[in-house]
Structure formats: C-alpha cells, structure tokens
Amino acid sequence: MILLTVTFAAILSLSYTIQTPQRQLGYPLLGNRTREIFIDVFYDNICEVSAANWPLFSQVISQEYLRNTLGVAVHIFPLPYHHNSFFAAWAGEAVIQTDASKYRDYMTYVFKNYDDFISKAVNLTEGEVHQAYAKAVEMSTGIKAQVILDGYKNRDLDLRARLAWKYGCYRGVSGTPTFMVNDVEVPEAGGFNLSQWNSFLRNLLG
Ligand SMILES: *[C@@H]1O[C@H](CO)[C@@H](O)[C@H](O)[C@H]1NC(C)=O
Ligand SMILES: *[C@@H]1O[C@H](CO)[C@@H](O)[C@H](O)[C@H]1NC(C)=O
Ligand SMILES: *[C@@H]1O[C@H](CO)[C@@H](O)[C@H](O)[C@H]1NC(C)=O
C-alpha cells in the first residue's frame, strides 16, 4: 500500500513537471522581459473570444505612452475542445522558425478566419486541416505552404507547440484569453475595454 502511494505520488509529481525550455517561452510580440511592465497573454488561435480580443489588445499595446515601458509575449494554449487548434499552434511554430517577424500576420489572419477551422472544418481529415493551415500561412505571410506541410513532419516543432501548451497548464491557465501582468494573473483583463486597460496600466506606472 505504501509502495503504491509512493508510486502514485511519484507519477503525480512527474505530471507536474515540464522540461526546462532551451530559451524563454512565448512569442516576443513587444520588447523583452527587462521592460517595466510585462504581459504574458495566453491565446488559442481559433478561439472566438481570443479572436475578438486581439484587435483591442493590439491597439492597447501599440500606444505611444507604453513605448519602451511595456513588453508582451504571446503563448498559444490550444483548448482540447477546439479540435483543430493544436495544428494551428504547430503551424505557428513553423512560421516562427521560418521568419518570426511574420508570426503576427499569421495569428491575425487565423483569428479573422477562425471559423474556417471550427464549424467549416468539421468534416475535414487531418491532412486537409494541415493543408488549410498551410494555405492560411501562405495567404497571410507569403511563406510557401510546403514549408508548413514539411513542418507537420518536424518533431521539434511539434514538441515546441506541446511545450507552449504545457507551460499554460503549469501556470494554471484553463481558458483563453488569459492575461498575466508582471507574472500575476489578472482575471478581469479579458473583459477590459481600451479605457479600462489604460487606467489599469497607468495605475501600475504610478
Ligand atoms: C531589452 O529591452 C531593453 C530596453 O528596451 C533593451 O535595451 C535591450 O537591448 C533589450 N534586450 C534584448 C536582448 O533585446
Ligand atoms: C459534414 O458532413 C455531414 C454528413 O455528411 C453533413 O450533414 C454536414 O453538412 C457536413 N458539414 C459541413 C460543414 O460540410
Ligand atoms: C469601458 O467600460 C467601462 C465600464 O464598463 C465603461 O464605463 C466605459 O464607458 C467603457 N468605455 C468605452 C470607451 O467603451
């Protein structure tokens, strides 16, 4: 019985451990972690609420008074009930590896067309879903679709997308969008409008 308990405890503790990343996680959207305020945002590429949030958040972070003060990283957290979401994350890793500066265009495009990968994709095979993301990448970034199709055979990119998801779990993320400001979750931030974001951030800046 004790052995069983010890074994179970060992499995449990293992399941809470993720490998040490080779570099800082998240797509560096703005600045870096030396900035006074740093926001980690967890998005699902084909989540309707994430898609609706992005235009506003992108407006928030591009404001002049935050320049050189704010840093932002995007973490992709594919929700299991968005069946094709993990493939969006995987394609995203291929975009980042090929030309990281184009990631934002890819993310924006998929958000705008998220339903192509949800209700319009219910009858697609896995291969057809890969094709659809590869096409989305080409449309939005000019990176050839074949680069993304090859990416779906690349184990390292698969692992990076998995690690991003595991990191979200590790930080206690269970839905998207989730905002962590200076490492602490701000549960209400997903519902902030522009003026609420600004009063929140101005308050932090003092
Ligand atoms: C991080 O940001 C600071 C302040 O904006 C800048 O001086 C520094 O060069 C940046 N570091 C890297 C590695 O980009
Ligand atoms: C998916 O297939 C079902 C069964 O053939 C069909 O009723 C449905 O309209 C299809 N959906 C789409 C979005 O193509
Ligand atoms: C933002 O939300 C607050 C609180 O609900 C509201 O008072 C304010 O009018 C809103 N501002 C804009 C610009 O929508």
Side-chain angles (χ1 to χ4, degrees):
M1 186 59 199
I2 288 171
L3 183 64
L4 198 69
T5 312
V6 169
T7 310
F8 186 61
I11 291 170
L12 256 187
S13 67
L14 262 183
S15 68
Y16 278 94
T17 306
I18 57 174
Q19 74 189 87
T20 308
Q22 283 170 311
R23 51 175 176 272
Q24 290 186 357
L25 294 178
Y27 174 73
L29 194 61
L30 186 68
N32 60 43
R33 289 189 187 270
T34 66
R35 298 270 168 103
E36 194 171 339
I37 299 178
F38 198 86
I39 303 182
D40 290 286
V41 54
F42 295 78
Y43 278 142
D44 171 322
N45 291 120
I46 57 172
C47 157
E48 183 176 4
V49 189
S50 297
N53 179 266
W54 169 235
L56 170 73
F57 187 60
S58 134
Q59 188 186 355
V60 169
I61 67 178
S62 63
Q63 296 176 101
E64 186 57 33
Y65 81 96
L66 294 169
R67 201 209 309 216
N68 301 325
T69 306
L70 178 69
V72 180
V74 175
H75 305 267
I76 299 302
F77 188 72
L79 296 162
Y81 40 89
H82 293 153
H83 300 272
N84 298 318
S85 188
F86 184 73
F87 293 128
W90 192 342
E93 294 295 342
V95 171
I96 290 167
Q97 175 172 273
T98 309
D99 182 352
S101 72
K102 297 195 166 148
Y103 185 74
R104 189 185 180 125
D105 294 336
Y106 165 71
M107 183 173 84
T108 303
Y109 180 92
V110 174
F111 276 153
K112 271 192 195 139
N113 298 281
Y114 73 91
D115 199 40
D116 287 356
F117 306 98
I118 301 260
S119 68
K120 290 182 196 152
V122 287
N123 293 334
L124 300 187
T125 63
E126 194 171 303
E128 286 167 339
V129 170
H130 291 179
Q131 293 277 355
Y133 283 122
K135 207 176 124 205
V137 169
E138 188 164 326
M139 296 276 293
S140 54
T141 68
I143 295 170
K144 292 283 173 234
Q146 191 56 47
V147 172
I148 304 308
L149 295 175
D150 292 342
Y152 284 122
K153 296 182 199 130
N154 183 328
R155 176 91 178 129
D156 286 343
L157 297 179
D158 177 15
L159 290 177
R160 272 184 219 168
R162 291 183 197 205
L163 186 58
W165 175 81
K166 287 183 190 203
Y167 178 65
C169 296
Y170 177 78
R171 297 296 308 273
V173 173
S174 63
T176 57
T178 291
F179 293 91
M180 306 225 179
V181 179
N182 294 338
D183 284 325
V184 175
E185 183 174 353
V186 181
E188 62 277 24
F192 279 172
N193 61 27
L194 184 62
S195 44
Q196 287 168 316
W197 263 117
N198 282 336
S199 55
F200 174 80
L201 293 171
R202 286 204 158 99
N203 191 36
L204 292 182
L205 291 170

